[in-house]
Amino acid sequence: MDPTVSGFLSRAVQQEADIARLKADIARLQNSKMQDGSDEEDQVSPELQKLRAANDKLKFRITHLKRNIEAEKGQSDDCMPDINEVLKDVFGDAIRAAFPDLADPVIAVTTSQQQRFGDYQCNSAMGLAQQLKALGQKVAPREIAQNIISHVGENDIIDKLDIAGPGFINIHLKKTFVCPILNKILTRGVLPPSVGEKKKVIIDMSSPNIAKEMHVGHLRSTIIGESISRLLEFVGHNILKLNHLGDWGTQFGMLIAHLEDQFPNYREESPPLQDLQTFYKASKVRFDNEEEFKKRAYALVVRLQAHDPDIIKAWKLICEISYREFNKIYDKLDIHNLIPRGESFYQDLMGDVVKELDGKGFLEFDEGRKIMFVPDTTIPMTIVKSDGGYTYDTSDMAAIRQRLHDEKGDWILYVIDAGQGVHMQCVFSGAKKAGWYDPTKNRVEHIGFGVVLGEDKKKFKTRSGDTVKLKDLLDEGLKRALDKLKEKGRHEVLSPEELEAAQQSVAYGCIKYADLCHNRVNDYVFSFDRMLDDKGNTAVYLLYAYTRIKSIARLAKLDQEAITKAAASVAVSLDHEKEWKLAKCIIKFPSIITKILDDLYMHTLCEYLYELSTTFTEFYDVCYCVEKDKQTGEVVKVNMDRILLCEATAAVMSKGFSILGLKEVSKM
Ligand code: ARG
């Protein structure tokens, strides 16, 4: 048996024995309790409680191990092996066997950056030398590497191991290990790596403000949030996307006052209000200049907070108009199931939050305000203003509590610009202090991102210096995409429908990709010219690469059915060096996903897809897939196993696109 599997099995057997022993202990303890006449549940001794907890933990671990064994064997039907993890297990076992004295040995496995260093590398030897030195044993890293290798038994995964430099172990994979994974991709589709327990994940994303412009910062939050949620959904987590709209606050006073004046019968008839931004600006001018108007606006805020039905109606009207506008953008960007749950939702919950924080003695008086200091920051949160009103801090405290306690979120992610980092840290710290979550159990994280810059490296603005309207930006994208397609003469070969599909795919795809392909924490320069370039790491390049790959099977006159059938019967040879290289790149996909699950940096996926398509090009340049007669142009030979490689590449690309929110087209 493969040593990984046997390693797992022997550990599982060991655990099973531990459980049996614990069960016997529990039974014995219960027995003696019974004899005491105190068998009640709530009277269990601390010793028994401890044993039960240990038992639960072991049960959890054994299911986890069993799942791993399945995944290792590649027999688990609904996932694909993460090669990094598989190798970590193989080397983990070998290292523990070679150095039984080390309590926590270094286990470092990575993908090799260069072919000549193998496919993967185990770089533990240097670290282990340090660990051994601390125990008073002086061993050279190369010797350690040799020792590790001698403990890696015969297995189905590794073809060959060699030592390089001071003690790096180069790992070469077996073709017989890689081939079945390719076949699985072709017959079962691109499956995620196994991630263990499914989590309930709440993603706070997009979150523009009612009656105000949805700006490029909100666009980034929307694009990044959507992509992360698609990734988490792909691996099987349960996602709730929340749009934390700025839909409450004093600005509604002036908006409603202006509404009353402009559309006095708004209660009976919906006002034909189209341009809410202009309306907002007009009401702001009045608010700043007309004393009487200002007073009325304040009085309306009070009535809104008291839930006066007329005023609530006006508020709803304004929110709906705004939301209709936002939805147009979400539709274009193919964003669905984004639940509008703005700050207003938490209004009724804030009183309780204040009471709880006050009760716990966390609130201090400061010039009429109630503030709360939290660990790790010197700036306190303002929980209650001097006029008794609540703040952005209060609503986020109420929101996090609701998400943890009512929504039972295991993970709560906030996709918000990096500028709000301090605010988020205060909220997280405050929630921890209040005992609302345990960071070892809940993953609560601010997914920050930098600002969008114009080509002049200054804040992104229109030529006239105004903020860029998202709608205009998307429209310009459409126009530029069409120009680009026409420049390439595509309008002459594509039908009008195909051309339109390609135009949308390129326009929205390039905007999303330009955002996602950069490390999100950095600022990035928005440039249509750069994002529409068909060379380099761009959406246009990838979309073209994809259509080219898909056209190969078409050229060979093979439909999906024929390909699936071939995948079940044709063994891919991987004899050519470039075939082998491409195959290894394809099966790296699950490791890429695992890595992103850890840091939620989507640019890793973009870089991988770019690497995959350049590796494909290398292969395609030298490996004929479909051979044609030079004179007649007729297809004379179809290399089925290479077509299968093409299709597996396309399948992985397509999965990557769907995670990034790109829409591939089969013709472009
Ligand atoms: N509406 C806010 C803004 O435009 C973003 C809200 C983000 N989410 C949150 N829970 N604070 O800046």
Side-chain angles (χ1 to χ4, degrees):
M1 192 188 300
D2 158 359
T4 330
V5 175
S6 64
F8 269 125
L9 277 177
S10 69
R11 261 184 279 156
V13 169
Q14 177 64 42
Q15 306 252 331
E16 216 128 27
D18 286 348
I19 289 182
R21 194 173 39 75
L22 278 167
K23 274 189 187 151
D25 284 351
I26 290 172
R28 195 171 30 76
L29 271 163
Q30 266 167 340
N31 242 338
S32 67
K33 282 279 159 199
M34 225 108 78
Q35 277 156 11
D36 287 357
S38 55
D39 57 339
E40 240 113 74
E41 260 313 291
D42 53 351
Q43 285 183 4
V44 291
S45 73
E47 199 182 341
L48 180 53
Q49 270 175 5
K50 235 198 258 157
L51 282 171
R52 278 186 182 162
N55 190 6
D56 285 343
K57 236 194 228 152
L58 282 171
K59 266 193 210 148
F60 170 78
R61 289 203 52 198
I62 208 158
T63 354
H64 183 73
L65 279 172
K66 277 186 181 154
R67 208 181 303 119
N68 272 351
I69 294 170
E70 287 302 299
E72 301 307 313
K73 286 194 276 190
Q75 280 175 357
S76 167
D77 239 15
D78 48 8
C79 61
M80 259 159 67
D82 170 341
I83 319 274
N84 264 325
E85 290 302 312
V86 171
L87 291 172
K88 248 183 226 159
D89 285 331
V90 172
F91 280 88
D93 286 342
I95 290 169
R96 275 185 292 269
F99 304 100
D101 297 348
L102 291 177
D104 192 13
V106 189
I107 296 155
V109 174
T110 61
T111 317
S112 291
Q113 295 306 329
Q114 288 181 44
Q115 281 272 297
R116 65 196 167 99
F117 295 133
D119 307 320
Y120 292 80
Q121 276 171 289
C122 170
N123 301 339
S124 294
M126 286 61 75
L128 290 171
Q130 297 293 328
Q131 289 183 317
L132 288 168
K133 199 171 156 196
L135 293 184
Q137 302 172 31
K138 205 170 171 298
V139 195
R142 273 189 85 94
E143 204 178 304
I144 293 174
Q146 196 52 58
N147 194 0
I148 297 173
I149 291 181
S150 66
H151 281 87
V152 176
E154 196 45 47
N155 62 69
D156 295 339
I157 306 161
I158 300 166
D159 183 45
K160 175 174 93 172
L161 295 170
D162 44 56
I163 303 174
F168 298 105
I169 302 173
N170 297 339
I171 308 165
H172 303 263
L173 296 181
K174 271 191 175 143
K175 286 184 184 157
T176 47
F177 170 68
V178 174
C179 286
I181 306 177
L182 290 174
N183 273 72
K184 192 166 182 179
I185 292 178
L186 291 160
T187 51
R188 294 285 325 276
V190 181
L191 301 168
S194 151
V195 291
E197 227 179 311
K198 306 290 181 221
K199 304 289 182 192
K200 163 116 188 219
V201 185
I202 295 174
I203 303 189
D204 182 315
M205 57 177 268
S206 195
S207 311
N209 301 316
I210 297 291
K212 288 190 199 157
E213 193 56 67
M214 182 168 171
H215 55 67
V216 279
H218 298 124
L219 179 69
R220 288 209 77 182
S221 170
T222 311
I223 291 173
I224 298 168
E226 176 67 16
S227 183
I228 290 176
S229 82
R230 284 170 181 235
L231 173 87
L232 298 179
E233 196 149 17
F234 169 57
V235 300
H237 295 315
N238 172 10
I239 315 295
L240 175 63
K241 294 190 281 185
L242 294 182
N243 202 354
H244 194 84
L245 299 152
D247 64 354
W248 200 256
T250 46
Q251 79 271 27
F252 281 95
M254 64 182 200
L255 284 165
I256 297 169
H258 195 49
L259 183 80
E260 283 182 332
D261 294 345
Q262 298 286 306
F263 306 100
N265 67 338
Y266 73 86
R267 288 172 200 81
E268 287 77 44
E269 217 182 297
S270 261
L273 188 54
Q274 293 294 339
D275 186 353
L276 211 49
Q277 269 83 56
T278 314
F279 187 83
Y280 181 92
K281 277 185 198 143
S283 68
K284 180 89 174 76
V285 170
R286 291 186 68 192
F287 184 83
D288 291 339
N289 298 305
E290 296 173 28
E291 214 33 57
E292 188 274 337
F293 183 85
K294 193 172 190 164
K295 260 194 211 137
R296 234 174 76 217
Y298 278 133
L300 282 167
V301 174
V302 176
R303 282 172 67 196
L304 177 67
Q305 274 161 353
H307 293 252
D308 177 326
D310 277 346
I311 310 308
I312 288 286
K313 170 137 202 192
W315 167 76
K316 271 203 181 132
L317 265 174
I318 294 168
C319 289
E320 272 158 21
I321 297 166
S322 217
Y323 207 62
R324 268 206 301 274
E325 288 306 306
F326 297 153
N327 268 337
K328 285 185 196 158
I329 291 180
Y330 297 140
D331 277 348
K332 284 186 197 215
L333 296 176
D334 199 24
I335 292 181
H336 309 281
N337 305 322
L338 174 57
I339 312 295
R341 189 183 285 175
E343 291 172 25
S344 64
F345 178 88
Y346 303 97
Q347 289 309 303
D348 295 341
L349 308 177
M350 290 197 278
D352 277 352
V353 167
V354 175
K355 231 186 269 161
E356 182 180 336
L357 297 176
D358 225 353
K360 288 183 163 149
F362 295 156
L363 302 187
E364 292 172 32
F365 270 106
D366 176 73
E367 295 175 12
R369 302 180 303 154
K370 281 186 180 173
I371 58 171
M372 176 172 171
F373 279 97
V374 292
D376 306 325
T377 44
T378 47
I379 316 157
M381 286 194 278
T382 301
I383 301 294
V384 186
K385 291 192 287 186
S386 50
D387 65 1
Y390 300 134
T391 69
Y392 192 48
D393 290 335
T394 331
S395 69
D396 261 321
M397 285 297 279
I400 196 168
R401 182 172 174 257
Q402 196 271 346
R403 290 167 189 182
L404 287 159
H405 293 175
D406 302 347
E407 295 295 348
K408 309 239 178 298
D410 297 306
W411 294 8
I412 304 177
L413 309 176
Y414 293 79
V415 189
I416 316 177
D417 63 273
Q420 297 195 33
V422 174
H423 166 72
M424 289 326 303
Q425 288 323 314
C426 285
V427 172
F428 300 163
S429 255
K432 262 181 280 180
K433 183 170 173 174
W436 295 340
Y437 78 97
D438 170 359
T440 62
K441 295 198 181 78
N442 295 92
R443 176 174 182 177
V444 177
E445 231 171 87
H446 173 205
I447 313 297
F449 53 81
V451 297
V452 183
L453 304 172
E455 291 189 67
D456 54 2
K457 302 266 167 69
K458 294 205 184 97
K459 216 172 160 208
F460 193 50
K461 289 257 158 73
T462 61
R463 277 209 196 90
S464 57
D466 289 335
T467 46
V468 180
K469 289 194 177 169
L470 278 197
K471 193 186 156 296
D472 297 347
L473 190 80
L474 298 181
D475 287 347
E476 185 174 351
L478 278 178
K479 191 188 144 297
R480 299 259 207 145
L482 188 61
D483 292 347
K484 185 88 194 174
L485 288 161
K486 284 188 172 161
E487 188 186 299
K488 289 176 156 267
R490 306 314 292 160
H491 57 301
E492 282 156 18
V493 283
L494 297 178
S495 72
E497 294 76 35
E498 285 169 345
L499 185 66
E500 197 189 323
Q503 178 192 11
Q504 295 198 357
S505 156
V506 169
Y508 304 138
C510 79
I511 295 175
K512 290 180 188 177
Y513 195 83
D515 193 319
L516 295 169
C517 74
H518 295 97
N519 183 326
R520 60 175 160 76
V521 298
N522 299 331
D523 297 346
Y524 90 92
V525 174
F526 193 97
S527 156
F528 272 123
D529 288 334
R530 188 147 0 130
M531 61 180 84
L532 284 166
D533 197 343
D534 53 14
K535 284 178 270 319
N537 187 5
T538 67
V540 182
Y541 170 80
L542 289 178
L543 288 166
Y544 267 117
Y546 178 82
T547 48
R548 222 175 310 124
I549 301 171
K550 283 308 269 186
S551 71
I552 299 166
R554 263 208 309 275
L555 183 68
K557 302 211 166 39
L558 294 166
D559 58 11
Q560 201 48 54
E561 208 189 316
I563 287 162
T564 319
K565 226 163 118 197
S569 54
V570 178
V572 185
S573 75
L574 306 179
D575 284 340
H576 195 286
E577 171 210 352
K578 297 293 179 189
E579 291 176 336
W580 181 219
K581 185 175 174 191
L582 176 59
K584 285 182 294 189
C585 187
I586 294 172
I587 62 158
K588 254 180 14 190
F589 181 70
S591 305
I592 300 292
I593 298 296
T594 312
K595 174 164 188 311
I596 307 174
L597 287 174
D598 186 44
D599 56 23
L600 302 175
Y601 282 137
M602 298 309 300
H603 69 276
T604 311
L605 180 56
C606 300
E607 278 162 10
Y608 167 73
L609 291 177
Y610 184 60
E611 180 194 333
L612 181 60
S613 55
T614 50
T615 309
F616 178 83
T617 307
E618 273 181 45
F619 149 83
Y620 194 59
D621 282 349
V622 291
C623 294
Y624 288 115
C625 297
V626 181
E627 289 170 42
K628 285 200 234 171
D629 184 293
K630 286 219 172 67
Q631 253 93 58
T632 64
E634 231 164 86
V635 174
V636 290
K637 187 168 174 225
V638 173
N639 290 304
M640 200 58 195
D641 61 342
R642 289 184 179 166
I643 299 274
L644 293 181
L645 265 180
C646 297
E647 287 294 308
T649 307
V652 170
M653 284 185 80
S654 165
K655 179 55 76 185
F657 287 170
S658 96
I659 292 172
L660 297 172
L662 263 58
K663 267 198 181 148
E664 70 254 17
V665 278
S666 56
K667 280 190 185 167
M668 203 169 118

